[in-house]
Amino acid sequence: RDPRSNAQRILGWDLPAGAIWQAVALVSVLAVLGLYATILLGGGGLAGPFPPPLAMAGLQIVAMVLLSALMAGVGRAFGGTGQFVGALRIMVWLQALMILMQVVQLVAMVLLPPLAGLVSLATLGAIGWIASGLVAGLHGFKSQGMVLLGIIGTLLGVGFVLSILFLPFFPPAP
């Protein structure tokens, strides 16, 4: 119920570094399985240039590591106290929650297709609020709302920078 105190609990678990990296691999594989299940249940095939599952899992791992580094770095830039390992633990926990919510979305797609879109929107809002609370707990921030705005601003900024960096690789269509 309280993401901030949950963050402190997650950070307090006595886990060896190897277990954290195994958890990163596990949730990445589960997320990719969920993605493929969503695509197949949604009626879309895997036609076109869709990467193989192992490559997708590798991309998921890289994304989790980079987002954890960003979570730790940006939070510290704003006066937070979190470290990379703590951010990685938070990222694994968030990914596990997203996998559980994806299962709910898959069930909604099959049993209540008209409500699947609403379930997806509710999931997005819940994950945003939970993520902001966990990040606030990681860094010792007081305002969860300001952390949420910081997450949104950071994601928009990173998206803007990445779009400029990758622009040469995707020229406009004729």
Side-chain angles (χ1 to χ4, degrees):
R1 291 183 181 250
D2 180 23
R4 265 184 267 209
S5 63
N6 287 336
Q8 293 305 310
R9 246 185 303 240
I10 293 165
L11 297 172
W13 290 338
D14 185 25
L15 297 173
I20 297 168
W21 289 105
Q22 289 172 351
V24 168
L26 175 63
V27 296
S28 296
V29 168
L30 291 174
V32 169
L33 289 173
L35 171 66
Y36 277 78
T38 301
I39 291 170
L40 294 173
L41 284 175
L46 297 178
F50 206 76
L54 194 55
M56 290 293 290
L59 287 172
Q60 181 74 19
I61 289 170
V62 169
M64 286 180 65
V65 169
L66 291 176
L67 286 170
S68 297
L70 194 63
M71 183 190 306
V74 171
R76 290 182 65 79
F78 283 93
T81 58
Q83 301 290 329
F84 172 76
V85 174
L88 191 61
R89 287 174 177 227
I90 297 295
M91 188 60 64
V92 168
W93 189 254
L94 273 172
Q95 188 63 51
L97 288 175
M98 287 190 284
I99 291 166
L100 290 174
M101 290 182 175
Q102 189 173 29
V103 170
V104 172
Q105 289 174 318
L106 287 171
V107 169
M109 282 175 62
V110 172
L111 299 179
L112 302 163
L115 295 181
L118 291 175
V119 170
S120 296
L121 286 174
T123 296
L124 181 63
I127 285 295
W129 187 249
I130 292 168
S132 64
L134 291 172
V135 172
L138 169 69
H139 287 291
F141 293 137
K142 300 283 183 243
S143 173
Q144 188 172 345
M146 290 302 289
V147 171
L148 180 60
L149 289 176
I151 290 171
I152 292 169
T154 300
L155 291 177
L156 288 173
V158 168
F160 179 73
V161 169
L162 288 176
S163 67
I164 290 172
L165 289 175
F166 286 108
L167 189 62
F169 302 105
F170 299 98

